[in-house]
Amino acid sequence: APTPNNPYIDFQAGVTAALRSWSALRTAVEQSWGGTDSPSKAEDLRSNIFSFFDGTSPNPKMSQDELEDNLMGYMEEEFGIVLEDGSEREVADLIWRMYELCARGDATLARSVVKNAMQAEEALKQSNVKSVIQSGDGDDDDMDGDSDVEEGDGMNTIGEGEGEDAGQQQQQQQQQQPMQDAVHGATNSNTAFAYASGTLFGGPPKPQKELPPPRQLGDPEPEKFQPEVDDDGFAVVATKKKGKKR
């Protein structure tokens, strides 16, 4: 099993940062384009990536082209998004390069991606709180102010130049001044372990309500109560019979 000092943990943290910084995915989750379980769908995407880039071999179980196609297909099938900005290519390339380097013991790129993502998250808290609050009014001012999303025919389209990808964000954020000491802690392996273990978007999942156990295959469906209906179509209400007076 991976340990906090394993470069694969830095890769997992880098993937987490790349997905958090992917404006198309972030917007899809914030706007619930995948329904109420949009955050869970984002988590499933990360888990699927980890299953093919599992750290057991220097060579992942999926080619970069296959990763691109799967990212595009997943976004369309689960969130109804048609990507036309090429961001899936940039995200796939970044994930591939991080894995390739971490497999050789070099976690520099992965740690840089995490640090830049933390800088952007801190900047969002410091200077862009108002735009986040107003995002529900149709003005989608996200982390980078870059996402103008058009809706049509039940699909959400992110066109060329409208969605900034994680690779482009990394280049821009490298020019930013360091935010604070906590941000620099992203280069620490223990911080990477905690970062990779966190949820992609939002806080911890809410506890689920207790539900009755699911019906097993082969079990008969329980009978539902059918009220007695009179000739006029009204439900008959049972009344207590009174005894006759003598």
Side-chain angles (χ1 to χ4, degrees):
T3 62
N5 295 323
N6 190 323
Y8 182 67
I9 294 297
D10 289 293
F11 167 75
Q12 290 183 317
V15 171
T16 299
L19 294 179
R20 284 179 178 174
S21 302
W22 189 11
S23 61
L25 178 61
R26 185 178 64 251
T27 303
V29 173
E30 290 176 350
Q31 300 299 324
S32 297
W33 287 345
T36 56
D37 57 344
S38 291
S40 297
K41 292 182 177 181
E43 295 292 345
D44 289 341
L45 175 60
R46 179 171 61 167
S47 298
N48 291 338
I49 293 173
F50 290 159
S51 67
F52 287 96
F53 295 76
D54 59 5
T56 60
S57 169
N59 301 315
K61 301 174 182 178
M62 176 182 290
S63 69
Q64 183 173 337
D65 290 340
E66 290 173 335
L67 179 58
E68 290 178 21
D69 293 340
N70 278 272
L71 289 175
M72 177 179 286
Y74 192 90
M75 294 295 287
E76 182 172 351
E77 293 172 7
E78 300 298 336
F79 295 102
I81 292 180
V82 178
L83 295 173
E84 296 180 351
D85 62 344
S87 59
E88 78 285 349
R89 186 179 307 110
E90 299 292 339
V91 174
D93 176 70
L94 181 58
I95 292 175
W96 186 272
R97 287 189 291 123
M98 287 192 295
Y99 189 84
E100 188 178 45
L101 290 171
C102 286
R104 298 203 297 259
D106 183 2
T108 305
L109 175 59
R111 292 176 180 178
S112 176
V113 171
V114 173
K115 184 181 74 172
N116 291 335
M118 293 180 71
Q119 286 178 344
E121 292 166 8
E122 183 64 25
L124 178 63
K125 295 177 183 178
Q126 298 271 343
S127 63
N128 209 20
V129 175
K130 184 177 179 180
S131 65
V132 174
I133 297 175
Q134 295 177 342
S135 63
D137 297 332
D139 298 331
D140 185 23
D141 298 327
D142 57 15
M143 185 184 300
D144 306 294
D146 55 6
S147 183
D148 297 326
V149 182
E150 301 175 358
E151 296 188 30
D153 300 329
M155 301 295 288
N156 304 296
T157 303
I158 296 183
E160 184 176 358
E162 295 176 346
E164 195 169 84
D165 55 86
Q168 291 173 336
Q169 288 180 32
Q170 181 198 355
Q171 294 176 359
Q172 291 185 1
Q173 292 163 355
Q174 284 175 345
Q175 301 173 1
Q176 297 177 354
Q177 294 294 326
M179 298 299 297
Q180 47 183 288
D181 293 340
V183 172
H184 292 297
T187 58
N188 184 278
S189 294
N190 291 328
T191 303
F193 181 77
Y195 193 84
S197 303
T199 56
L200 275 177
F201 302 101
K206 297 180 180 180
Q208 296 183 351
K209 296 181 179 179
E210 293 186 4
L211 299 175
R215 182 166 57 93
Q216 300 296 320
L217 291 177
D219 290 349
E221 185 175 355
E223 295 183 1
K224 296 181 180 179
F225 172 74
Q226 299 293 338
E228 183 180 353
V229 180
D230 60 18
D231 296 337
D232 295 327
F234 293 99
V236 177
V237 179
T239 58
K240 187 180 292 185
K241 293 183 180 180
K242 296 181 180 179
K244 294 182 180 180
K245 294 184 180 180
R246 296 183 178 177

